Amino acid sequence: MSVREILPILMFVALLAGILIGFPVAFTIGGVAIIFGFIGYFFDVFHLTDFSMVPGKVFGIISNVNLMAVPLFAFMGIMLEKSGVAKELLEAMGRLFRNVKGGLLLSVLLVGTVLAATTGIVGATVVTMGVIALPTMLKYQYNKELSCGMIAASGTLGQIIPPSIILVLLGDMMQVGIGDLFLAAIIPGFFLVISYVVFIIVLTTIKPELAPKMPTTENGIEIDNSIIKIIYALVAPIVLVAIVLGSIMFGLATPTEAASCGAFGAIIITIFKRKFSWMALKESCFETTKLSTMVFTILIGAQFFGVVFRGIGGAILIALFSPQVNL
């Protein structure tokens, strides 16, 4: 094999290795690209002047109006997490499914679905449900592996269910309307949720000891399963989802405009639930800045990676394996 065939493969392997050992993705992508750029220059298969294409690509990213939706959606999700929506939903769903085998698993899944449709981010959802739901599931003798797996699976639904930040980035990179992409992701996203529901029902039917029913009383007191409390917990996030996604899908607002409405709506919900404070707002802005910086650093690193990967022959190698790909 020639150098132009070996280097792209090694570059891809180095990228995966860096990610798997826990090095930050944002720096792994750019770092691997720069290292292999110099390796390619040493073997005379890459010209360092190709790096001059990167600034123009980076400027295109930071001046893209659609990508302004990323920090706004991130702020919306983080502010909602501060409002205690996740805790209220978990408590309400836990009461609703108390008499069902695997009820807490179903509760976590449904809460993850609602949060995915209101936040568009993953980290806050997984951490919140891990802190709130996992101790409760372990308390009622739920299987540890199954409990952790369901929290991880339901927490990552934010990757596909709109308004996903990932879909915003993909839509921009592939030059596809973000509203159209959101609309296209709804059905597969909810099919995924339904498949999880079926999995839980089947598994807990076959092996009920993995997720036993919860008691209907606690300390001798009957648990309140009031439907009003459940509706109260659901109203705020559902209204926010309707406003944000509805305005995008019906063409009433651009993704950026809808995201700004969502961010403002999250503040209103936090005030309504009496959880608003300047410290909460400050922390939300700080977390949003960190998350947005990470996302845009990944995008900038990807520009370096793309330039080097093409320069050392990666595009030609892909064409050899996939002749139908038009590069």
Side-chain angles (χ1 to χ4, degrees), residues 53-281:
M53 294 186 286
V54 174
K57 293 177 180 289
V58 171
F59 182 78
I61 291 172
I62 61 176
S63 61
N64 192 320
V65 176
N66 285 333
L67 293 182
M68 288 174 61
V70 172
L72 290 169
F73 278 134
F75 177 83
M76 181 178 76
I78 294 167
M79 199 67 190
L80 278 177
E81 190 263 333
K82 300 290 183 187
S83 72
V85 166
K87 184 177 180 180
E88 284 187 4
L89 282 171
L90 278 168
E91 290 175 350
M93 291 299 175
R95 289 193 294 268
L96 181 63
F97 294 107
R98 180 169 287 272
N99 297 324
V100 180
K101 292 176 184 176
L104 280 176
L105 296 174
L106 291 172
S107 301
V108 168
L109 175 60
L110 293 177
V111 171
T113 304
V114 173
L115 292 180
T118 53
T119 64
I121 56 177
V122 171
T125 304
V126 175
V127 171
T128 301
M129 291 198 296
V131 170
I132 298 171
L134 186 58
T136 305
M137 287 193 281
L138 296 180
K139 174 184 174 182
Y140 290 108
Q141 306 300 314
Y142 274 54
N143 178 268
K144 186 185 296 184
E145 290 78 10
L146 182 60
S147 301
C148 293
M150 187 49 60
I151 288 173
S154 57
T156 52
L157 288 171
Q159 299 280 37
I160 186 172
I161 295 177
S164 166
I165 288 177
I166 298 298
L167 292 180
V168 174
L169 299 177
L170 288 175
D172 179 72
M173 287 189 289
M174 298 186 299
Q175 300 298 308
V176 177
I178 295 173
D180 295 334
L181 201 56
F182 279 3
L183 192 60
I186 289 177
I187 293 177
F190 283 99
F191 263 117
L192 183 60
V193 174
I194 292 170
S195 67
Y196 285 154
V197 171
V198 173
F199 171 77
I200 292 170
I201 293 172
V202 172
L203 184 63
T204 53
T205 300
I206 297 172
K207 296 182 177 180
E209 69 278 6
L210 294 179
K213 290 183 181 180
M214 296 169 63
T216 56
T217 60
E218 195 165 301
N219 297 325
I221 302 173
E222 188 76 19
I223 299 296
D224 181 12
N225 289 330
S226 173
I227 194 69
I228 295 175
K229 290 185 177 181
I230 296 171
I231 294 173
Y232 176 79
L234 286 170
V235 165
I238 288 177
V239 169
L240 193 62
V241 170
I243 292 173
V244 174
L245 295 186
S247 60
I248 294 174
M249 292 173 184
F250 290 105
L252 300 176
T254 64
T256 304
E257 292 167 344
S260 62
C261 291
F264 181 73
I267 295 176
I268 297 299
I269 290 173
T270 307
I271 294 173
F272 178 74
K273 292 183 178 294
R274 299 179 182 178
K275 297 290 181 67
F276 180 82
S277 67
W278 290 114
M279 181 58 67
L281 181 62

